Amino acid sequence: MESKTIDFEEGWEYIQTGITKRNRYLEGLGPEPDVPTYMELYTTVYIMSTQKPPHDYSQQLYDKYREAVEEYANSTALPALTDYFVCRKSLPPVKEVGLTSFSDLVCNNLQRKVKEAVITLVDKERDGEDIDRELVKSVIDVYVQIGMGKMERYEQYFERFLLEGASSYFSRKASRWIEEDSYNDYILKSEECLEKEKERVTHYLPSSSVPKLVKKVEHELLVKYANQLLQQSEFREMARGLEHIANIFKKHVTDADGHEDTEEHVLIKKLMELHDKYLVYVTKYSHNHTLFYKTLKEEFESFCRQTVDGSSSNAELLATFCDRIILKKWGSGEEELSDEAIEKGVILLAYISDDKYLFAEFYRKKLALRLLLNRNANDHHDHERSILTKLKQKFGKQITFKMEKMVTDLILSRENHNGFSEYVANNPNAKPGIDFTVTLLTNGCWPSYKKFGINLPSDMVKCVEVYKGFYEAKTKARKLTWIHSLGTCHINGKFDQNTIELILSTHQAALLLLFNTRDIMSYTDIQTPLNVTDEDLVRLLLSLSCAKVKIPLPRVDERKKVVEDVEKDRRYAIDAAIVRIMKGSKVLGHQQLVSECVEQLSRMFKPDIKAIKKRIEDLINRDYLERDKEHPNMFRYLA
């Protein structure tokens, strides 16, 4: 049995009656229509929207509904229209029809006055007056809601005017303050404004607007007047302070005997104190603004690029300073090494980032000596690890991985010594005869040391042979290379019935033990059994004749070698970068190859263009690359 066809006029009259009842309920003039009434309306709309042509009244119903919404913008959408007609015709949903109508008929006519009223209220609150924040929030929420989940309409119709209003307000404030106030007063007022602005607007603005507004306020208060503030502020004193410290450094020449100790502590401490002082201005009085950080960074980087006596870089001086605060004590000599001192040192190291590999090489050599002097000091190793962790966080693991392995070597050497002791205890034929400890160093991680050749006394030779037997039984894959110049010997010297313990290098001990057979020996008598060069023997004799008790060898200036080692590492890094780039591209122009190489290497060090060009030519000679015969500026990778 077919259902009755509903005429449009008849159906719409019934629907209109339902809309009127609903509107009266919303206005508080009548009861809410009951469920049966809603069901009847739903059924009527459904039938009228699904009748066969020419009685399909979907379009007419939609048009009539739009008219009803325009008359009463807040009317509730009829589900039947959404569920059937809207989906089939891809028209805006009825909820959007209502919000769009409200926006077009109400907001567009009133928005200028609304925006002016809201911005006026916000400015009053900035001036210290109490306002109805809930009212402001309600108005702003309307702009958000008419966007139906998107912020474009809010940003277009309200946010941009709010930002313009903030610019205007704080521009007026800043122009007056900059003329009337001191630097400190201006910064304090600006900081207070920023804090209050952030606190205030979170009560009624969407979260997406807050950072935009803060940035706008920062621009008006700080960015626009940055140069003027820096000129009139105490930042000018920073440059003068650095200049003063630089003059002190220029007068200071690091000598070969280590007398620079006190001066370096004073100089670096002054630099740290100056940095601390102006870091306070940046963080507290300049609200962490990037322009002020930039000024601080540029001034200290400029200073740290200077050299002392034309040769010593600040990379070397800072490495030496770190060595001093670790080996001795911080500051006056009464304070223990502290995390704070390490943190400050690492901060200064950040300003020599272009020379970080040079610093790392100087630091690695000094670390090696510290570790070898304190082989069994667990606390010392913990401090070294702590510093390396901070350096890794600042510069990356490529700077510290060798040094971390050095510390690990010392820890593993203790475990290895326990194994050697068990080996000696369980092998009657393996008796060193004297107390003997070996420190195993991983080749390639530790600095390279000169192989100081010498014939050891028979007691020492026996120790070496016993240990070789232990090590070869333990591993066949590795070969031991002995560096006796790093060894330390404790021997008892008997002088006029008094016994004195002497702490010597292995070479010094080997020489002194020759005097067990006679009291007076000639130069040749010493050189022949030891089988050492004239250069090495002169250094040995000098060390033993010009010092007392604890006898150090004269220090060899390795600055030139450190620089050479760093340059060698950089050549390897440039070669690797070029090959890596060309392997991926196969064919590349000269300028593009250089540019990509600079970009890759800049994360490690600042590469020299001439050095890159030189490495390209070297790789061509070594058949890694070839130059295009027709286009000399094009290179081809040779697999």
Side-chain angles (χ1 to χ4, degrees), residues 22 45 63 98 105 109 165 207 332 334 351 370 417 422 441 443 453 459 484 489 493 522 538 547-548 570 608 620 624:
R22 177 66 177 173
V45 171
D63 293 340
L105 299 176
N109 290 328
S207 59
S332 65
E334 297 178 357
Y351 294 112
R370 292 198 302 272
H417 179 68
E422 291 179 8
L441 311 180
N443 187 36
D459 288 344
H484 297 302
C489 288
S522 69
V538 168
K548 297 179 182 179
R570 289 185 175 181
D608 180 65
I620 291 173
Y624 282 90

Side-chain angles (χ1 to χ4, degrees), residues 7 78 147 195 270 274 307 323 350 374 421 554 604:
D7 293 334
L78 294 176
E195 290 300 324
K270 283 184 178 294
L274 194 67
T307 59
D323 185 53
N374 298 275
S421 298
M604 302 165 62

Side-chain angles (χ1 to χ4, degrees), residues 573-574 577-578 581 590-613:
I574 294 172
I578 294 171
I581 293 166
H590 177 271
Q591 189 60 45
Q592 188 176 356
L593 175 57
V594 171
S595 298
E596 290 190 23
C597 192
V598 168
E599 183 179 356
Q600 282 196 15
L601 294 170
S602 61
R603 294 188 291 270
M604 302 165 62
F605 59 90
K606 189 175 182 179
D608 180 65
I609 302 298
K610 291 181 181 178
I612 294 176
K613 293 179 179 178

Side-chain angles (χ1 to χ4, degrees), residues 413-424 426 470 474:
S413 285
R414 289 201 299 272
E415 298 175 4
N416 186 72
H417 179 68
N418 294 333
F420 178 62
S421 298
E422 291 179 8
Y423 172 81
V424 170
N426 296 326
F470 157 74
K474 182 181 178 182

Side-chain angles (χ1 to χ4, degrees), residues 1-187:
M1 181 177 177
E2 294 185 0
S3 60
K4 178 186 176 183
T5 300
I6 302 175
D7 293 334
F8 179 74
E9 289 77 11
E10 177 188 355
W12 177 250
E13 182 179 356
Y14 179 70
I15 294 170
Q16 181 67 62
T17 301
I19 293 174
T20 301
K21 289 181 179 180
R22 177 66 177 173
N23 288 348
R24 288 179 60 79
Y25 163 70
L26 291 174
E27 295 172 0
L29 302 176
E32 182 179 11
D34 55 18
V35 174
T37 301
Y38 279 126
M39 292 302 297
E40 286 293 330
L41 288 169
Y42 179 91
T43 302
T44 302
V45 171
Y46 175 80
I47 293 171
M48 294 178 69
S49 301
T50 56
Q51 293 176 149
K52 295 181 180 180
H55 302 293
D56 178 0
Y57 300 121
S58 298
Q59 185 66 53
Q60 293 93 320
L61 287 174
Y62 189 86
D63 293 340
K64 281 289 187 180
Y65 180 74
R66 172 181 286 276
E67 293 175 8
V69 168
E70 290 177 351
E71 292 176 3
Y72 191 83
N74 289 327
S75 292
T76 303
L78 294 176
L81 289 175
T82 302
D83 291 342
Y84 299 104
F85 177 69
V86 172
C87 294
R88 287 193 291 144
K89 298 292 186 179
S90 298
L91 291 169
V94 291
K95 182 177 180 181
E96 185 174 335
V97 170
L99 290 171
T100 303
S101 299
F102 180 82
S103 174
D104 294 341
L105 299 176
V106 180
C107 293
N108 289 347
N109 290 328
L110 298 175
Q111 69 169 337
R112 184 176 63 83
K113 293 181 180 179
V114 170
K115 285 182 297 192
E116 289 177 356
V118 171
I119 291 171
T120 299
L121 285 173
V122 173
D123 284 350
K124 284 183 177 181
E125 189 176 37
R126 287 170 177 151
D127 289 330
E129 295 186 30
D130 291 331
I131 66 169
D132 187 345
R133 286 181 171 178
E134 288 302 318
L135 175 62
V136 174
K137 186 179 187 307
S138 297
V139 174
I140 293 173
D141 283 347
V142 170
Y143 284 97
V144 175
Q145 290 172 14
I146 62 176
M148 289 166 286
K150 298 181 180 179
M151 299 298 288
E152 286 85 350
R153 291 177 72 88
Y154 158 75
E155 292 168 354
Q156 178 183 357
Y157 289 110
F158 184 80
E159 185 187 68
R160 65 188 182 95
F161 296 99
L162 179 72
L163 297 178
E164 289 172 4
S167 291
S168 178
Y169 178 87
F170 287 104
S171 177
R172 293 193 300 271
K173 292 286 185 183
S175 62
R176 188 173 73 251
W177 293 347
I178 200 70
E179 296 296 330
E180 299 174 353
D181 298 323
S182 67
Y183 166 80
N184 284 346
D185 288 342
Y186 183 93
I187 293 297

Side-chain angles (χ1 to χ4, degrees), residues 198-209:
K198 283 192 286 187
E199 187 279 330
R200 181 169 46 245
V201 298
T202 52
H203 289 284
Y204 42 75
L205 284 185
S207 59
S208 61
S209 293

